[in-house]
Amino acid sequence: MKALATLLLGVVSIGSVYGQTFQDLDFESATVSNLPLNQFGGANDASVTNAFPGWSAYIGTNQLTQVGHNVITLGAASVSLLGPQYAPPYTPLQGNYSATLQAGNVLSDAFLHPASIAQTGLIPDGTKFMRFQATFPFNTLEVAVGGLGAPFVALGGSSYVCDVSAFANQIQKIRFTMNTNIGNGLTFVDAIAPMPGLGAITSIAKEGNNI
């Protein structure tokens, strides 16, 4: 009887783990106070839980508990939620909110620190690609899945796609990192979506201008 109970508990535990779906992949689940047009927020105005439900945020290896809201720095490393409105050209890539990453310095530390967001969840069975929207200075954005770099290709506009087929039906961490900076560059990330097999990346590329 004890062995049966242990077995059933194991089945329930496995089911719970595999029910760990990704959250807030479009960053629209934020619960923050809206700021007036053209108004900056503070560098630590929002908790990570409220700004990026389901996500973790990092400067270098330091995990953050607070992030900015409508914050664009002059060289300091930053993770911030942008939206629902701000002065052009700094507007969300889609919907009301986008994630913004700025690699930069920390206080008096002159070294460059990467900025990143990460989340662990189940990559659905049958997933071949992960599509996302982003704008970033040349060669500053890094995407990782399961701790491994995931090369991505452009679809047109601000849309990109990377091959994640090796991780289908697995619990894995996805991570978006601005790993370096050029001048005072910004990286915007939005609309992340696992996609089923479409045969080849070129099949998706045909849709690029409609994404």
Side-chain angles (χ1 to χ4, degrees):
M1 191 71 177
K2 183 177 180 181
L4 178 59
T6 302
L7 176 61
L8 290 175
L9 179 61
V11 171
V12 170
S13 298
I14 292 171
S16 299
V17 169
Y18 275 86
Q20 186 176 345
T21 56
F22 286 105
Q23 303 176 52
D24 194 32
L25 293 179
D26 58 2
F27 304 108
E28 297 301 302
S29 298
T31 53
V32 295
S33 298
N34 291 341
L35 297 173
L37 182 65
N38 297 336
Q39 181 173 318
F40 281 105
N44 297 296
D45 258 13
S47 70
V48 174
T49 302
N50 288 342
F52 300 113
W55 292 90
S56 299
Y58 302 85
I59 298 298
T61 58
N62 180 41
Q63 185 169 348
L64 307 177
T65 57
Q66 298 287 125
V67 293
H69 182 195
N70 282 5
V71 169
I72 297 169
T73 75
L74 297 176
S78 172
V79 177
S80 178
L81 181 74
L82 181 77
Q85 57 186 2
Y86 191 62
Y90 303 119
T91 57
L93 296 179
Q94 63 87 42
N96 292 314
Y97 299 103
S98 292
T100 63
L101 308 173
Q102 279 188 274
N105 65 316
V106 177
L107 296 178
S108 58
D109 184 349
F111 291 99
L112 195 68
H113 295 262
S116 61
I117 53 172
Q119 183 176 167
T120 299
L122 175 64
I123 297 175
D125 191 21
T127 297
K128 296 293 185 183
F129 306 107
M130 181 171 68
R131 184 171 62 188
F132 60 95
Q133 291 187 20
T135 59
F136 52 94
F138 177 72
N139 206 29
T140 60
L141 178 63
E142 178 181 296
V143 180
V145 181
L148 300 174
F152 52 88
V153 296
L155 295 177
S158 61
S159 294
Y160 297 84
V161 68
C162 56
D163 185 348
V164 297
S165 57
F167 303 101
N169 202 32
Q170 297 179 29
I171 300 273
Q172 294 290 355
K173 179 179 284 188
I174 59 173
R175 190 179 190 110
F176 292 81
T177 302
M178 187 180 191
N179 54 31
T180 188
N181 209 333
I182 300 171
N184 190 39
L186 287 165
T187 291
F188 296 82
V189 180
D190 210 333
I192 304 159
M195 300 180 64
L198 295 178
I201 290 177
T202 51
S203 300
I204 312 172
K206 294 176 182 178
E207 302 174 4
N209 293 329
N210 299 318
I211 293 171

